[in-house]
Amino acid sequence: MTDIFDDLAAEYRQLDAVLESLTPDQWSRPSAAAGWTVSDVVLHLTQSEEVITDQSIPEGKAFLPSAEATVDGMAEEMVAAERGMPPADLLARWRKAAFATPGALRAHPAGTRLSWVRAPLSPRTLATTRLAEHWAHALDITVPLDIPYPDTARLRHVAWLAHRTLPYAFAVAGLPDAPVFCDLTAPDGTHWTFGDPAAPARITGPASEFCRVGARRLTPEQTSLAAEGPHAADALRVVRNYAA
């Protein structure tokens, strides 16, 4: 795959072009994230990005070690505490945090484990999660506003993350882990493969749809994805690009 830090910066630039074009009315419109406006979505992204440059992040801790605390609950509390910022101020704050992230993550020495939600992550994996989250929330902003947000080759990172974390997704759903092979069609028509081709379970179809299922922006039934073999349908049902 191409360099994750460069691709993360490119994803930020694509979203920045959208945010810069928004009118004041559009900032206050409902997003596709339930209960959140477009401003709320950007505030959430800003708050989570600001953690990346916090001096405590190399401590390698989990922010939510308790299973009772949820990522959604934490995010909702943080947004509620700061919502209402003027769009211009919010955009400037997001830009400051987001544009500092790729360099900050790249600068950590190899082997560093950085604090994150459920478990410490390597800088490269954390960069991948940030790309996946910004891509998904960009859809929350652009789809309701009917603004184009083209799929790119950067979705390969998102698809990799979804496949790589399938054991976690199975565990969250209370299911046993199972090997799954994915053969996904990229936006440019090439194929991305993940896992062992000899695995009895196989998922095939558009990578864009697989990533949207993992982001909970589409259900498997809304896609053309095919699940074949034992546990494939379960994998498609539980796959996720983010922590619960």
Side-chain angles (χ1 to χ4, degrees):
M1 291 191 287
T2 52
D3 183 80
I4 180 58
F5 302 116
D6 290 344
D7 281 352
L8 180 60
E11 193 69 29
Y12 291 152
R13 290 193 297 269
Q14 183 172 338
L15 177 57
D16 182 59
V18 170
L19 298 180
E20 187 175 35
S21 72
L22 298 182
T23 66
D25 173 68
Q26 288 174 316
W27 280 90
S28 63
R29 296 267 295 276
S31 75
W36 280 2
T37 64
V38 169
S39 285
D40 290 338
V41 171
V42 178
L43 176 59
H44 165 63
L45 291 174
T46 302
Q47 291 170 331
S48 51
E49 285 301 279
E50 288 171 340
V51 176
I52 305 294
T53 53
D54 190 284
Q55 292 184 348
S56 66
I57 197 171
E59 294 177 0
K61 298 179 180 179
F63 296 140
L64 289 176
S66 167
E68 287 72 31
T70 66
V71 176
D72 287 347
M74 178 180 69
E76 183 58 50
E77 289 179 5
M78 292 175 65
V79 167
E82 291 195 280
R83 65 165 39 105
M85 290 184 62
D89 294 345
L90 179 55
L91 178 56
R93 182 176 162 186
W94 173 79
R95 282 173 166 162
K96 179 180 179 181
F99 292 160
T101 292
L105 291 176
R106 195 195 297 270
H108 287 289
T112 301
R113 305 296 288 180
L114 303 176
S115 299
W116 204 241
V117 180
R118 289 295 184 191
L121 302 177
S122 72
R124 296 187 66 83
T125 301
L126 183 48
T128 306
T129 69
R130 302 314 302 146
L131 193 157
E133 182 163 18
H134 273 76
W135 168 76
H137 283 308
L139 298 180
D140 292 337
I141 294 168
T142 57
V143 171
L145 297 178
D146 197 26
I147 295 173
Y149 199 79
D151 291 332
T152 71
R154 296 189 294 274
L155 284 184
R156 183 164 185 166
H157 298 289
V158 183
W160 172 86
L161 181 67
H163 181 269
R164 176 67 179 82
T165 57
L166 269 174
Y168 167 76
F170 278 125
V172 168
L175 298 173
D177 187 17
V180 179
F181 176 68
C182 290
D183 183 353
L184 306 173
T185 306
D188 66 358
T190 59
H191 282 254
W192 298 336
T193 59
F194 305 95
D196 183 357
R202 174 180 296 257
I203 295 173
T204 58
S208 60
E209 294 182 358
F210 181 73
C211 292
R212 283 168 170 79
V213 171
R216 301 298 197 270
R217 269 58 180 183
L218 289 176
T219 66
E221 295 74 22
Q222 293 172 313
T223 73
S224 59
L225 294 166
E228 304 171 0
H231 311 294
D234 285 339
L236 200 51
R237 177 172 57 84
V238 305
V239 65
R240 57 193 311 130
N241 309 333
Y242 59 96

